[in-house]
Amino acid sequence: AIEKSKQSNLSRFIYALGIPDVGWTTANQLADHFEHLDGVMQADQTELEKIPDIGPIVSDHIVTYFSDRANQDVIQKMADLGVEWAHQKKDHLPLSGKTIVITGKLSDWTRDSLTEKCEELGAKVSNSVSKKTSFLIAGESAGSKLKKAQQLGIPIILENDIESLSKNKLHKK
């Protein structure tokens, strides 16, 4: 189990570092933009702010985090212990270029775990339905988002059909 836990991907690794104001979405954006941790670590605020949704505050937190020698040492020690953080370009993933909206009460997933899984598969997860939405994942008691998706003719996937999103088994709760 310890050896298996050493295998990660770049976005999860960045997220796990606990950089202030760097959540799952920002970690994904950083991984996609730079593709390698060295690029993130060496980026300046100007370069970071070219990434959508990263402004001066978040870019300052990132630069400050990676300029701290103690943080650099921790990352190096993890690498020395065999921790790996590979990155797969999202254009090779099954949901690359898709925008997904999740609505309703989920019985087999937490909303965060389903969002994370969809993003790992290359999708962008949005909070609102629009013409750009690729499909809607609907749990029980889905309301206005389901109605809007139906009006726009957006495909709807029920929670029990989520396995069809990927050839890989998705991990539930």
Side-chain angles (χ1 to χ4, degrees):
I2 291 172
E3 289 304 312
K4 185 177 179 184
S5 72
K6 291 181 182 181
Q7 305 301 311
S8 186
N9 64 44
L10 183 57
S11 56
R12 272 189 187 195
F13 185 78
I14 292 169
Y15 177 74
L17 291 173
I19 302 167
D21 293 322
V22 174
W24 182 247
T25 301
T26 304
N28 275 323
Q29 291 173 321
L30 289 167
D32 286 342
H33 183 80
F34 291 102
E35 298 183 28
H36 301 283
L37 186 61
D38 288 342
V40 180
M41 292 177 72
Q42 295 168 7
D44 62 18
Q45 282 190 257
T46 303
E47 187 173 3
L48 290 166
E49 289 173 25
K50 291 178 183 176
I51 300 170
D53 302 324
I54 295 181
I57 294 171
V58 175
S59 66
D60 180 56
H61 288 301
I62 295 167
V63 169
T64 300
Y65 182 90
F66 287 115
S67 64
D68 185 322
R69 185 68 190 161
N71 293 332
Q72 295 171 13
D73 289 344
V74 167
I75 292 167
Q76 185 59 52
K77 284 178 186 174
M78 285 189 276
D80 293 344
L81 291 169
V83 176
E84 297 177 5
W85 44 84
H87 182 65
Q88 181 176 0
K89 294 265 310 162
K90 285 197 171 192
D91 58 354
H92 300 294
L93 298 174
L95 298 180
S96 177
K98 305 288 185 198
T99 300
I100 298 170
V101 176
I102 302 168
T103 190
K105 183 178 184 292
L106 305 172
S107 58
D108 292 334
W109 296 82
T110 65
R111 192 167 301 275
D112 287 343
S113 67
L114 183 54
T115 297
E116 182 178 331
K117 181 47 71 177
C118 290
E119 288 175 343
E120 284 177 5
L121 294 171
K124 175 184 177 197
V125 179
S126 176
N127 290 321
S128 59
V129 176
S130 72
K131 291 185 283 186
K132 294 181 180 181
T133 303
S134 304
F135 56 89
L136 178 89
I137 299 174
E140 292 180 39
S141 304
S144 61
K145 290 179 186 178
L146 176 61
K147 288 179 186 174
K148 186 170 183 180
Q150 290 169 331
Q151 290 171 348
L152 293 173
I154 293 169
I156 297 163
I157 295 177
L158 300 176
E159 182 183 9
N160 58 358
D161 294 329
I162 291 173
E163 297 293 332
S164 66
L165 293 178
S166 166
K167 294 177 184 175
N168 300 327
K169 289 285 186 190
L170 302 178
H171 301 288
K172 297 182 180 177
K173 281 186 183 175

